[in-house]
């Protein structure tokens, strides 16, 4: 059959994404992939240099997606299908362009881990993320900020004369344009994916890319790649160079991911001119292989391990009893701690392929690591020669600038706004003015008229922009009479994003003096907390809360979302400052427009922590025993186990001192319930 691109629907149970968090993301997100500068000693010089280059302290200007729940209902997700006689690839343009399924027709096998549900969880840079398929991570360390937002999509002529699906968007963390072109040559067993990232600016930008592939996990699944060593990152939060397949004598063979106890990353040390590839093969020698042109140099194994915490996360991210997954990944650098410099007015491009691989199971599972690798490499070369990939890449580049013939899905208007400001020539990825919407309108007025507009009536402040160019426009903007406070509030956000903290505080203080608002009280509270001024931060959060409630009527339907976001931030700071009574008051106040307080799993956990701080350990334990489901639990977060053990220690100690003996007894007599066990490290 001729290769086709068509629209369809994917019918699965799905939890709604919910609204964006209306408060700008001023605080760090707690990304797991961070290294202490002291741990860089002994690393290769270029790796250490790239680890220290271009880190981000916030995800500004992106807003957080944390309004989702866990109540799933039947849903119809928009999908695009690329199909030939051998493969059917299904893409979700509304969810970051995720390659959701890759089905091999001759064998009837699904090559990816296809999640049977859509269940967001707090794994991405901007919050909501979901497991399964292949995701495209650009920006900075972590799952991309666009992983649960729409991308633009269109149909483009493919290099072989067939049809190609193009996805594109403006990446807001680094202000880069990117495109992802997917096509299936006629009768091919491999999906080709051409990727281009463009820096249209007059400055060097830190670049980051990892393609993250989820594949089914069984006890006999083995991951193979052309490496004899890896950089290991686990619960000790340090990088160490280890051998493969067993990092230590007598230790587990990490090429079998279920053999390890705890979640871990293994960044494979592929050297020299070796072909870049990685595969996951089952007990019969069947599975998926990913390979690429050489620019995409890194490869990684992520495993959940067989421990209770890893198994709990697997159930949390999908439907219990439907089988687990592991991840094989490919990136621009050797590790996900690194960014690479991308010079002004340049692009990065490469070709990836995904398809089936079958090999002799006796050789795949040979005890000798070199034998297993050689078998997979030979089978890959026979199925898809390296020269074929290089040739396909060159052919694709000749079509990368072709404009889409028709639009299949629409992304955001931020790219169109940046094109209006910078007049960047970006052939092949049209950011049309028609995509500009309400979030971009105030900024378009600033760009065109040099005036920062009045705040919209009945609404909280909208999305922000923070790049140096927009900051300059804010600094020189005219304002409507009485609206200077609004401009200064946004200017402070841009200054904060640039790590110009002192200037940000001055802008917010100037805004607050001109017009007291909960937004500036909250921004200054974040600044105080970041500087270690916990008492002052608590005072600011209390002022923000009282100001918000006093003016709640003017914020319309957003008031409830603002209230929850502020409550979730304020209560931990109030508890840290020893102001449990104020925390209790805030939690107990009715939700705007209602007569009862806000109540969800996150807030119930804060209730338990507040009760403990007020000396009511029994009340805290009752809340925990009733069951708390924190829908936005962050990857690696330990609030649940920490609260559980803290309550158990107080109950055992009574009025006495909490000693090491009491702590040990609390763990023995009050073991952590399985539904609270999300530990990604040993419980010690």
């Amino acid at each position: 059959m001729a290769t086709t691109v068509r629209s369809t629907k994917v019918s699965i149970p799905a939890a709604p994404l919910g609204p964006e968090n209306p408060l700008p993301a001023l605080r760090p997100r707690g990304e797991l992939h961070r290294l202490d500068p002291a741990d860089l000693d002994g690393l290769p010089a270029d790796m250490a240099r790239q680890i220290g280059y271009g880190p981000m302290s916030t995800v500004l200007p992106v807003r957080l997606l944390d309004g989702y729940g866990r109540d799933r209902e039947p849903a119809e997700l928009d999908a695009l299908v690329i199909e030939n006689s051998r493969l059917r690839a299904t893409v979700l343009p509304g969810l970051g362009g995720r390659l959701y399924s890759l089905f091999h027709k001759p064998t009837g096998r699904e090559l990816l881990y296809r999640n049977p549900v859509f269940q967001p969880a707090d794994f991405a840079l901007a919050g909501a993320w979901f497991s399964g398929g292949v995701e495209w991570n650009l920006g900075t360390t972590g799952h991309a900020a666009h992983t649960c937002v729409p991308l633009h999509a269109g149909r483009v002529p493919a290099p072989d004369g067939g049809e190609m699906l193009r996805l594109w968007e403006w990446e807001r963390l680094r202000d880069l344009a990117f495109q992802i072109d997917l096509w299936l040559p006629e009768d091919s067993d491999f999906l080709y994916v051409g990727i281009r990232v463009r820096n249209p600016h007059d400055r060097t930008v830190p670049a980051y890319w990892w393609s993250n592939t989820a594949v089914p996990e069984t006890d006999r699944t083995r991951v193979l790649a052309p490496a004899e060593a890896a950089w290991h990152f686990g619960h000790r939060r340090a990088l160490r160079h280890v051998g493969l397949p067993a990092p230590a004598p007598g230790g587990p063979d990490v090429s079998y991911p279920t053999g390890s106890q705890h979640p871990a990353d293994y960044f494979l040390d592929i050297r020299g001119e070796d072909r870049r590839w990685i595969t996951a093969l089952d007990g019969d020698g069947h599975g998926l292989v990913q390979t690429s042109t050489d620019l995409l140099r890194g490869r990684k194994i992520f495993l959940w391990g067989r421990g209770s915490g890893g198994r709990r996360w697997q159930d949390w991210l999908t439907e219990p009893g439907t089988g687990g997954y592991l991840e094989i990944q490919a990136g621009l650098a050797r590790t996900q701690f690194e960014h690479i410099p991308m010079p002004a007015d340049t692009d990065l491009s490469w070709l990836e392929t995904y398809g089936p691989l079958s090999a002799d199971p006796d050789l795949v599972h040979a005890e000798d690591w070199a034998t297993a690798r050689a078998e997979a490499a030979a089978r890959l070369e026979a199925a898809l020669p390296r020269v074929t990939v290089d040739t396909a890449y060159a052919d694709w580049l000749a079509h990368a600038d072709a404009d889409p013939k028709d639009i299949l899905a629409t992304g955001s208007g931020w790219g169109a706004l940046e094109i209006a400001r910078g007049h960047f020539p970006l052939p092949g990825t049209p950011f049309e003015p028609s995509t500009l919407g309400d979030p971009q309108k105030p900024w378009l007025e600033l760009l065109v008229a040099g005036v920062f507009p009045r705040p919209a009536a009945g609404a909280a402040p909208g999305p922000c922009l923070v790049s140096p160019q927009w900051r300059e426009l804010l600094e020189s903007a005219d304002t409507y009479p009485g609206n200077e406070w609004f401009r200064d509030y946004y200017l402070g956000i841009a200054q904060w994003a640039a790590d110009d903290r002192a200037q940000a505080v001055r802008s917010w203080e100037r805004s607050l003096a001109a017009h007291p608002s909960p937004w500036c009280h909250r921004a200054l509270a974040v600044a105080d907390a970041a500087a270690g001024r916990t008492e002052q931060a608590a005072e600011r959060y209390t002022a923000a809360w009282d100001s918000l409630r006093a003016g709640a009527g003017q914020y319309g339907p957003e008031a409830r979302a603002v209230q929850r976001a502020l409550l979730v931030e304020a209560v931990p700071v109030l508890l840290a400052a020893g102001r449990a009574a104020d925390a209790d008051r805030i939690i107990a106040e009715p939700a705007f427009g209602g007569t009862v307080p806000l109540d969800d799993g996150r807030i119930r956990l804060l209730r338990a922590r507040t009760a403990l701080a007020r000396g009511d350990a029994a009340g805290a334990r009752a809340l925990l025993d009733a069951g708390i489901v924190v829908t936005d639990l962050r990857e690696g977060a330990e609030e649940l186990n920490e609260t559980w053990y803290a309550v158990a220690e107080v109950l055992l100690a009574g009025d006495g001192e909490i000693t090491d003996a009491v702590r040990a007894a609390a763990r023995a007599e009050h073991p952590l319930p399985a539904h609270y066990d999300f530990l990604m490290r040993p419980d010690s």
Side-chain angles (χ1 to χ4, degrees), residues 185-489:
E186 188 173 356
D187 298 327
S188 173
D189 279 321
F190 286 85
L191 174 69
Y192 289 26
V193 185
I195 296 171
R196 179 167 62 172
V197 180
R198 293 194 274 196
N199 173 16
H201 305 290
D202 59 0
R203 65 185 188 278
T204 298
V205 174
Y208 173 97
W209 182 284
W210 282 82
S211 300
N212 182 358
T213 304
V215 293
E217 175 193 72
T218 71
D219 289 341
R220 292 287 290 161
T221 298
R222 192 174 204 187
V223 178
L224 301 170
E228 297 179 355
W231 295 94
H232 168 260
F233 181 77
H235 63 268
R236 297 183 186 277
R237 302 286 178 262
L239 268 181
R240 59 190 183 97
H241 202 242
V242 300
L244 291 177
D253 181 337
V254 299
S255 68
Y256 292 97
T258 57
S260 297
Q261 183 68 18
H262 301 291
D265 298 320
Y266 289 90
F267 300 99
L268 306 176
D269 193 0
I270 301 174
R271 299 191 172 189
E273 299 301 316
D274 287 343
R275 185 177 184 182
R276 273 60 172 158
W277 59 268
I278 188 168
T279 185
L281 303 176
D282 64 19
D284 295 322
H286 303 305
L288 175 131
V289 65
Q290 188 270 2
T291 186
S292 71
T293 48
D294 288 352
L295 183 67
L296 204 66
R297 66 177 298 189
R299 293 297 186 275
K300 171 189 162 183
I301 306 169
F302 170 75
L303 52 89
W304 282 109
R306 65 176 183 273
S308 57
R311 296 297 99 188
R312 175 64 173 139
W313 273 117
Q314 292 258 33
D315 288 346
W316 184 258
L317 295 171
T318 181
E319 186 70 17
T322 57
Y325 73 94
L326 63 99
E327 293 172 358
I328 54 175
Q329 304 185 21
L332 286 173
R334 280 168 292 187
T335 73
Q336 288 173 337
F337 301 92
E338 301 169 72
H339 299 88
I340 63 174
M342 189 175 180
D345 197 24
T346 61
D347 62 59
L348 296 168
S349 63
W350 62 92
L351 182 76
E352 303 182 38
T353 67
Y354 297 81
L357 190 69
S358 293
D360 184 331
D362 292 335
L363 297 178
V364 165
H365 298 286
E367 185 175 345
D368 180 64
W369 176 242
T371 297
R373 288 182 1 241
E375 167 66 4
R379 297 288 183 149
L380 171 60
E381 186 64 21
L384 185 67
R386 186 176 190 175
V387 66
T388 301
V389 175
D390 291 338
T391 300
Y393 169 64
D395 292 342
W396 166 70
L397 279 180
H399 291 75
D401 284 351
D403 286 330
K405 296 188 298 182
D406 54 321
I407 301 300
L408 302 174
T410 303
S412 78
W414 296 111
L417 183 65
E418 292 297 336
I419 297 300
R421 185 195 59 77
H423 304 289
F424 304 121
L426 296 173
T429 53
F431 294 100
E432 299 294 345
S434 60
T435 62
L436 292 164
D438 289 340
Q440 293 82 39
K441 284 181 180 178
W443 301 96
L444 188 62
E445 185 171 346
L446 172 63
L447 177 66
V448 173
V451 175
F452 201 67
R454 298 184 183 92
C464 57
L465 289 171
V466 300
S467 71
Q469 295 84 356
W470 288 106
R471 176 177 168 177
E472 290 176 6
L473 288 171
L474 281 171
E475 288 171 338
S476 60
D478 292 327
T479 58
Y480 294 103
N483 192 37
E484 295 85 356
W485 73 271
F486 199 57
R487 189 274 311 273
D488 286 339
Y489 170 67

Side-chain angles (χ1 to χ4, degrees), residues 633-680:
L633 191 67
R634 183 75 172 154
E635 179 187 16
E638 300 198 0
E639 301 105 312
L640 285 168
N641 58 289
E642 288 173 351
T643 304
W644 176 268
Y645 286 137
V647 170
E649 290 163 6
V650 172
L651 290 174
L652 278 177
D655 295 331
E657 182 182 356
I658 298 177
T659 63
D660 288 344
V662 168
R663 293 188 180 95
R667 280 162 169 73
E669 297 180 29
H670 301 273
L672 185 68
H675 58 280
Y676 291 151
D677 184 359
F678 291 91
L679 284 170
M680 300 178 72

Side-chain angles (χ1 to χ4, degrees), residues 575-597:
L575 295 179
R579 297 176 60 166
D582 284 329
D584 193 46
R585 171 179 69 87
I586 287 174
I587 291 174
E589 287 189 338
F592 298 144
T595 58
V596 297

Side-chain angles (χ1 to χ4, degrees), residues 440-634:
Q440 293 82 39
K441 284 181 180 178
W443 301 96
L444 188 62
E445 185 171 346
L446 172 63
L447 177 66
V448 173
V451 175
F452 201 67
R454 298 184 183 92
C464 57
L465 289 171
V466 300
S467 71
Q469 295 84 356
W470 288 106
R471 176 177 168 177
E472 290 176 6
L473 288 171
L474 281 171
E475 288 171 338
S476 60
D478 292 327
T479 58
Y480 294 103
N483 192 37
E484 295 85 356
W485 73 271
F486 199 57
R487 189 274 311 273
D488 286 339
Y489 170 67
Y490 278 101
L491 180 58
I493 296 171
Q495 292 162 336
W496 184 265
D499 286 328
D500 193 350
R501 301 287 173 93
Q503 286 285 11
V505 168
R506 281 192 281 272
S507 293
W508 289 329
E509 287 176 339
R510 190 167 60 246
S511 174
L512 194 64
H515 179 83
S517 73
W519 325 115
C520 280
H521 279 303
R522 178 262 177 174
L524 289 165
V526 173
D528 281 331
R533 298 186 293 268
T534 308
E535 290 286 346
Q536 294 95 316
E539 190 66 34
R540 294 279 197 190
Y541 271 121
T542 302
W545 180 264
D546 293 339
S547 175
L548 179 64
R549 291 198 63 85
Q554 66 181 294
Y555 300 124
E558 285 190 284
R560 186 182 180 91
V562 176
Q563 181 192 21
R564 184 191 182 278
L566 187 57
L567 185 155
V568 167
E569 275 192 28
V571 168
V573 175
L574 291 169
L575 295 179
R579 297 176 60 166
D582 284 329
D584 193 46
R585 171 179 69 87
I586 287 174
I587 291 174
E589 287 189 338
F592 298 144
T595 58
V596 297
L598 290 167
D599 187 35
D600 59 35
R602 171 66 64 184
I603 293 169
R604 282 195 287 277
L605 179 60
L606 292 175
R607 289 182 195 279
R609 293 175 59 187
T610 301
L612 181 63
R614 300 200 73 186
D616 183 11
R621 179 59 181 265
L623 285 165
L624 290 166
D625 287 344
I628 295 175
V629 178
V630 182
T631 58
D632 59 343
L633 191 67
R634 183 75 172 154

